[in-house]
Amino acid sequence: MKYSLRQLIQSVPELMETAQACRDLGLPNFYIAGGAITQLIWNRLSGRPLLEQVKDFDIVYFDREQHRSEAWYEDEISTRMSHTVEIDVKNQAIVHLWYPQKFGCDIPAYERVEQGIDSWLSAFAIGFTLNTGGSVTIYAPYGLEDAFQMNVKPNKIAMTEANYRKMTQSFKNRWPSISVAPWDEAPFQGGS
């Protein structure tokens, strides 16, 4: 599945252009991850245009020293792109500072960018970056099965039940064929 996902990502010029802009800019330890990747898979499986319902590309990176702000990177990356898909740039080194107020639960300070991805729903815990040769490298700590089978399960590492219900209702409205596991029946705590 990683091979077919790599091909799928490479078939979307907007994703590749964004990744190249991140790499050219020197965005530290970046991945384009989460919803844009999962929704790309779901659109392919549903026979829809690949970027339908994709509101933005989530770009995560890790810079403990905060050499540049998220807004600076967002502006710089945006000026290098010819497409109109919005981007959302988040430094995973500082997520713990604002997360409790926005999502209602505390999380520890992350030590690496991958920890942010690890805390996402298994079907969404997928990211890609470009290696030094410019090839797509995929990070998927829980595998790709949930994304390709359109299964959504809670990941209780950094989520409340209320947030899970809100998110999954939004997904279900856009992709009625997805399967959503109940909060209490799927004690997913990270790991596969």
Side-chain angles (χ1 to χ4, degrees), residues 170-190:
S170 173
F171 301 147
K172 197 78 170 153
N173 289 342
R174 293 178 282 164
W175 291 275
S177 60
I178 67 169
S179 169
V180 176
W183 178 262
D184 292 331
E185 290 181 25
F188 185 73
Q189 299 286 336

PDB file of all heavy atoms in Angstrom, residues 170-190:
ATOM      1  N   SER A 170     -18.267  15.287  10.879  1.00  0.00           N
ATOM      2  CA  SER A 170     -17.858  16.046   9.698  1.00  0.00           C
ATOM      3  C   SER A 170     -17.364  15.107   8.589  1.00  0.00           C
ATOM      4  O   SER A 170     -17.715  15.269   7.417  1.00  0.00           O
ATOM      5  CB  SER A 170     -16.765  17.042  10.082  1.00  0.00           C
ATOM      6  OG  SER A 170     -16.234  17.663   8.955  1.00  0.00           O
ATOM      7  N   PHE A 171     -16.556  14.109   8.956  1.00  0.00           N
ATOM      8  CA  PHE A 171     -16.069  13.150   7.958  1.00  0.00           C
ATOM      9  C   PHE A 171     -17.236  12.373   7.352  1.00  0.00           C
ATOM     10  O   PHE A 171     -17.299  12.166   6.141  1.00  0.00           O
ATOM     11  CB  PHE A 171     -15.083  12.147   8.576  1.00  0.00           C
ATOM     12  CG  PHE A 171     -13.870  12.754   9.198  1.00  0.00           C
ATOM     13  CD1 PHE A 171     -13.291  12.167  10.310  1.00  0.00           C
ATOM     14  CD2 PHE A 171     -13.282  13.903   8.690  1.00  0.00           C
ATOM     15  CE1 PHE A 171     -12.164  12.707  10.908  1.00  0.00           C
ATOM     16  CE2 PHE A 171     -12.158  14.451   9.276  1.00  0.00           C
ATOM     17  CZ  PHE A 171     -11.599  13.849  10.392  1.00  0.00           C
ATOM     18  N   LYS A 172     -18.150  11.923   8.193  1.00  0.00           N
ATOM     19  CA  LYS A 172     -19.294  11.120   7.746  1.00  0.00           C
ATOM     20  C   LYS A 172     -20.185  11.918   6.795  1.00  0.00           C
ATOM     21  O   LYS A 172     -20.717  11.356   5.827  1.00  0.00           O
ATOM     22  CB  LYS A 172     -20.081  10.640   8.973  1.00  0.00           C
ATOM     23  CG  LYS A 172     -21.014   9.504   8.705  1.00  0.00           C
ATOM     24  CD  LYS A 172     -20.272   8.189   8.609  1.00  0.00           C
ATOM     25  CE  LYS A 172     -21.256   7.049   8.586  1.00  0.00           C
ATOM     26  NZ  LYS A 172     -20.752   5.880   7.900  1.00  0.00           N
ATOM     27  N   ASN A 173     -20.323  13.219   7.046  1.00  0.00           N
ATOM     28  CA  ASN A 173     -21.120  14.067   6.156  1.00  0.00           C
ATOM     29  C   ASN A 173     -20.504  14.148   4.768  1.00  0.00           C
ATOM     30  O   ASN A 173     -21.219  14.212   3.769  1.00  0.00           O
ATOM     31  CB  ASN A 173     -21.263  15.480   6.735  1.00  0.00           C
ATOM     32  CG  ASN A 173     -22.160  15.524   7.955  1.00  0.00           C
ATOM     33  OD1 ASN A 173     -22.945  14.606   8.209  1.00  0.00           O
ATOM     34  ND2 ASN A 173     -22.036  16.589   8.728  1.00  0.00           N
ATOM     35  N   ARG A 174     -19.186  14.150   4.700  1.00  0.00           N
ATOM     36  CA  ARG A 174     -18.495  14.286   3.407  1.00  0.00           C
ATOM     37  C   ARG A 174     -18.230  12.950   2.726  1.00  0.00           C
ATOM     38  O   ARG A 174     -18.194  12.884   1.498  1.00  0.00           O
ATOM     39  CB  ARG A 174     -17.194  15.056   3.600  1.00  0.00           C
ATOM     40  CG  ARG A 174     -17.452  16.516   3.985  1.00  0.00           C
ATOM     41  CD  ARG A 174     -16.176  17.280   4.220  1.00  0.00           C
ATOM     42  NE  ARG A 174     -15.643  16.945   5.535  1.00  0.00           N
ATOM     43  CZ  ARG A 174     -14.410  17.191   5.927  1.00  0.00           C
ATOM     44  NH1 ARG A 174     -13.549  17.747   5.101  1.00  0.00           N
ATOM     45  NH2 ARG A 174     -14.013  16.864   7.140  1.00  0.00           N
ATOM     46  N   TRP A 175     -18.015  11.898   3.510  1.00  0.00           N
ATOM     47  CA  TRP A 175     -17.754  10.558   2.972  1.00  0.00           C
ATOM     48  C   TRP A 175     -18.678   9.583   3.691  1.00  0.00           C
ATOM     49  O   TRP A 175     -18.261   8.900   4.645  1.00  0.00           O
ATOM     50  CB  TRP A 175     -16.292  10.157   3.170  1.00  0.00           C
ATOM     51  CG  TRP A 175     -15.355  10.945   2.322  1.00  0.00           C
ATOM     52  CD1 TRP A 175     -15.004  10.708   1.030  1.00  0.00           C
ATOM     53  CD2 TRP A 175     -14.662  12.138   2.703  1.00  0.00           C
ATOM     54  NE1 TRP A 175     -14.139  11.665   0.578  1.00  0.00           N
ATOM     55  CE2 TRP A 175     -13.910  12.567   1.591  1.00  0.00           C
ATOM     56  CE3 TRP A 175     -14.601  12.896   3.875  1.00  0.00           C
ATOM     57  CZ2 TRP A 175     -13.124  13.701   1.618  1.00  0.00           C
ATOM     58  CZ3 TRP A 175     -13.806  14.033   3.902  1.00  0.00           C
ATOM     59  CH2 TRP A 175     -13.085  14.415   2.792  1.00  0.00           C
ATOM     60  N   PRO A 176     -19.948   9.479   3.268  1.00  0.00           N
ATOM     61  CA  PRO A 176     -20.930   8.649   3.982  1.00  0.00           C
ATOM     62  C   PRO A 176     -20.533   7.177   4.108  1.00  0.00           C
ATOM     63  O   PRO A 176     -21.008   6.485   5.006  1.00  0.00           O
ATOM     64  CB  PRO A 176     -22.200   8.797   3.141  1.00  0.00           C
ATOM     65  CG  PRO A 176     -22.020  10.066   2.377  1.00  0.00           C
ATOM     66  CD  PRO A 176     -20.545  10.205   2.133  1.00  0.00           C
ATOM     67  N   SER A 177     -19.652   6.691   3.255  1.00  0.00           N
ATOM     68  CA  SER A 177     -19.303   5.269   3.284  1.00  0.00           C
ATOM     69  C   SER A 177     -18.228   4.926   4.314  1.00  0.00           C
ATOM     70  O   SER A 177     -17.919   3.747   4.488  1.00  0.00           O
ATOM     71  CB  SER A 177     -18.862   4.807   1.897  1.00  0.00           C
ATOM     72  OG  SER A 177     -17.735   5.539   1.465  1.00  0.00           O
ATOM     73  N   ILE A 178     -17.679   5.903   5.019  1.00  0.00           N
ATOM     74  CA  ILE A 178     -16.660   5.558   6.014  1.00  0.00           C
ATOM     75  C   ILE A 178     -17.296   4.857   7.204  1.00  0.00           C
ATOM     76  O   ILE A 178     -18.476   5.015   7.480  1.00  0.00           O
ATOM     77  CB  ILE A 178     -15.855   6.786   6.505  1.00  0.00           C
ATOM     78  CG1 ILE A 178     -16.731   7.753   7.314  1.00  0.00           C
ATOM     79  CG2 ILE A 178     -15.136   7.465   5.364  1.00  0.00           C
ATOM     80  CD1 ILE A 178     -15.953   8.829   8.041  1.00  0.00           C
ATOM     81  N   SER A 179     -16.501   4.080   7.885  1.00  0.00           N
ATOM     82  CA  SER A 179     -16.924   3.394   9.099  1.00  0.00           C
ATOM     83  C   SER A 179     -16.305   4.123  10.287  1.00  0.00           C
ATOM     84  O   SER A 179     -15.097   4.366  10.303  1.00  0.00           O
ATOM     85  CB  SER A 179     -16.423   1.951   9.051  1.00  0.00           C
ATOM     86  OG  SER A 179     -16.591   1.324  10.295  1.00  0.00           O
ATOM     87  N   VAL A 180     -17.134   4.469  11.270  1.00  0.00           N
ATOM     88  CA  VAL A 180     -16.657   5.189  12.455  1.00  0.00           C
ATOM     89  C   VAL A 180     -16.851   4.309  13.680  1.00  0.00           C
ATOM     90  O   VAL A 180     -17.975   3.945  14.017  1.00  0.00           O
ATOM     91  CB  VAL A 180     -17.406   6.533  12.628  1.00  0.00           C
ATOM     92  CG1 VAL A 180     -16.977   7.218  13.918  1.00  0.00           C
ATOM     93  CG2 VAL A 180     -17.179   7.442  11.419  1.00  0.00           C
ATOM     94  N   ALA A 181     -15.761   3.981  14.340  1.00  0.00           N
ATOM     95  CA  ALA A 181     -15.826   3.169  15.566  1.00  0.00           C
ATOM     96  C   ALA A 181     -16.308   4.043  16.713  1.00  0.00           C
ATOM     97  O   ALA A 181     -15.894   5.193  16.831  1.00  0.00           O
ATOM     98  CB  ALA A 181     -14.457   2.595  15.884  1.00  0.00           C
ATOM     99  N   PRO A 182     -17.172   3.507  17.566  1.00  0.00           N
ATOM    100  CA  PRO A 182     -17.598   4.263  18.738  1.00  0.00           C
ATOM    101  C   PRO A 182     -16.412   4.540  19.662  1.00  0.00           C
ATOM    102  O   PRO A 182     -15.471   3.749  19.736  1.00  0.00           O
ATOM    103  CB  PRO A 182     -18.605   3.347  19.431  1.00  0.00           C
ATOM    104  CG  PRO A 182     -18.990   2.333  18.413  1.00  0.00           C
ATOM    105  CD  PRO A 182     -17.824   2.198  17.476  1.00  0.00           C
ATOM    106  N   TRP A 183     -16.463   5.638  20.365  1.00  0.00           N
ATOM    107  CA  TRP A 183     -15.396   6.044  21.291  1.00  0.00           C
ATOM    108  C   TRP A 183     -15.078   4.949  22.314  1.00  0.00           C
ATOM    109  O   TRP A 183     -13.929   4.597  22.530  1.00  0.00           O
ATOM    110  CB  TRP A 183     -15.816   7.332  21.988  1.00  0.00           C
ATOM    111  CG  TRP A 183     -14.841   7.835  23.008  1.00  0.00           C
ATOM    112  CD1 TRP A 183     -14.891   7.651  24.356  1.00  0.00           C
ATOM    113  CD2 TRP A 183     -13.666   8.616  22.752  1.00  0.00           C
ATOM    114  NE1 TRP A 183     -13.816   8.275  24.960  1.00  0.00           N
ATOM    115  CE2 TRP A 183     -13.049   8.877  23.994  1.00  0.00           C
ATOM    116  CE3 TRP A 183     -13.070   9.116  21.594  1.00  0.00           C
ATOM    117  CZ2 TRP A 183     -11.881   9.622  24.122  1.00  0.00           C
ATOM    118  CZ3 TRP A 183     -11.900   9.862  21.718  1.00  0.00           C
ATOM    119  CH2 TRP A 183     -11.324  10.099  22.974  1.00  0.00           C
ATOM    120  N   ASP A 184     -16.102   4.390  22.915  1.00  0.00           N
ATOM    121  CA  ASP A 184     -15.895   3.417  23.991  1.00  0.00           C
ATOM    122  C   ASP A 184     -15.548   2.019  23.502  1.00  0.00           C
ATOM    123  O   ASP A 184     -14.988   1.227  24.261  1.00  0.00           O
ATOM    124  CB  ASP A 184     -17.138   3.332  24.883  1.00  0.00           C
ATOM    125  CG  ASP A 184     -17.332   4.612  25.673  1.00  0.00           C
ATOM    126  OD1 ASP A 184     -16.331   5.278  25.979  1.00  0.00           O
ATOM    127  OD2 ASP A 184     -18.490   4.963  25.962  1.00  0.00           O
ATOM    128  N   GLU A 185     -15.878   1.694  22.276  1.00  0.00           N
ATOM    129  CA  GLU A 185     -15.629   0.338  21.781  1.00  0.00           C
ATOM    130  C   GLU A 185     -14.290   0.192  21.093  1.00  0.00           C
ATOM    131  O   GLU A 185     -13.927  -0.899  20.687  1.00  0.00           O
ATOM    132  CB  GLU A 185     -16.743  -0.075  20.822  1.00  0.00           C
ATOM    133  CG  GLU A 185     -18.069  -0.295  21.540  1.00  0.00           C
ATOM    134  CD  GLU A 185     -19.161  -0.737  20.588  1.00  0.00           C
ATOM    135  OE1 GLU A 185     -18.852  -1.316  19.541  1.00  0.00           O
ATOM    136  OE2 GLU A 185     -20.326  -0.479  20.925  1.00  0.00           O
ATOM    137  N   ALA A 186     -13.563   1.282  20.944  1.00  0.00           N
ATOM    138  CA  ALA A 186     -12.269   1.217  20.272  1.00  0.00           C
ATOM    139  C   ALA A 186     -11.225   1.907  21.131  1.00  0.00           C
ATOM    140  O   ALA A 186     -10.964   3.080  20.977  1.00  0.00           O
ATOM    141  CB  ALA A 186     -12.365   1.891  18.900  1.00  0.00           C
ATOM    142  N   PRO A 187     -10.661   1.167  22.053  1.00  0.00           N
ATOM    143  CA  PRO A 187      -9.726   1.790  22.991  1.00  0.00           C
ATOM    144  C   PRO A 187      -8.341   2.049  22.396  1.00  0.00           C
ATOM    145  O   PRO A 187      -7.331   1.738  23.005  1.00  0.00           O
ATOM    146  CB  PRO A 187      -9.659   0.768  24.130  1.00  0.00           C
ATOM    147  CG  PRO A 187      -9.864  -0.536  23.439  1.00  0.00           C
ATOM    148  CD  PRO A 187     -10.838  -0.236  22.322  1.00  0.00           C
ATOM    149  N   PHE A 188      -8.305   2.603  21.206  1.00  0.00           N
ATOM    150  CA  PHE A 188      -7.028   2.849  20.529  1.00  0.00           C
ATOM    151  C   PHE A 188      -6.238   3.888  21.316  1.00  0.00           C
ATOM    152  O   PHE A 188      -6.681   4.988  21.533  1.00  0.00           O
ATOM    153  CB  PHE A 188      -7.304   3.349  19.097  1.00  0.00           C
ATOM    154  CG  PHE A 188      -6.059   3.516  18.286  1.00  0.00           C
ATOM    155  CD1 PHE A 188      -5.381   2.411  17.827  1.00  0.00           C
ATOM    156  CD2 PHE A 188      -5.570   4.771  17.995  1.00  0.00           C
ATOM    157  CE1 PHE A 188      -4.227   2.556  17.062  1.00  0.00           C
ATOM    158  CE2 PHE A 188      -4.416   4.924  17.238  1.00  0.00           C
ATOM    159  CZ  PHE A 188      -3.754   3.814  16.781  1.00  0.00           C
ATOM    160  N   GLN A 189      -5.071   3.512  21.742  1.00  0.00           N
ATOM    161  CA  GLN A 189      -4.224   4.388  22.553  1.00  0.00           C
ATOM    162  C   GLN A 189      -2.896   4.668  21.855  1.00  0.00           C
ATOM    163  O   GLN A 189      -1.937   5.036  22.479  1.00  0.00           O
ATOM    164  CB  GLN A 189      -3.934   3.727  23.906  1.00  0.00           C
ATOM    165  CG  GLN A 189      -5.151   3.455  24.730  1.00  0.00           C
ATOM    166  CD  GLN A 189      -5.743   4.706  25.340  1.00  0.00           C
ATOM    167  OE1 GLN A 189      -5.076   5.705  25.544  1.00  0.00           O
ATOM    168  NE2 GLN A 189      -7.024   4.665  25.604  1.00  0.00           N
ATOM    169  N   GLY A 190      -2.840   4.500  20.575  1.00  0.00           N
ATOM    170  CA  GLY A 190      -1.570   4.602  19.868  1.00  0.00           C
ATOM    171  C   GLY A 190      -1.021   3.199  19.679  1.00  0.00           C
ATOM    172  O   GLY A 190      -1.317   2.288  20.433  1.00  0.00           O
TER     173      GLY A 190
END
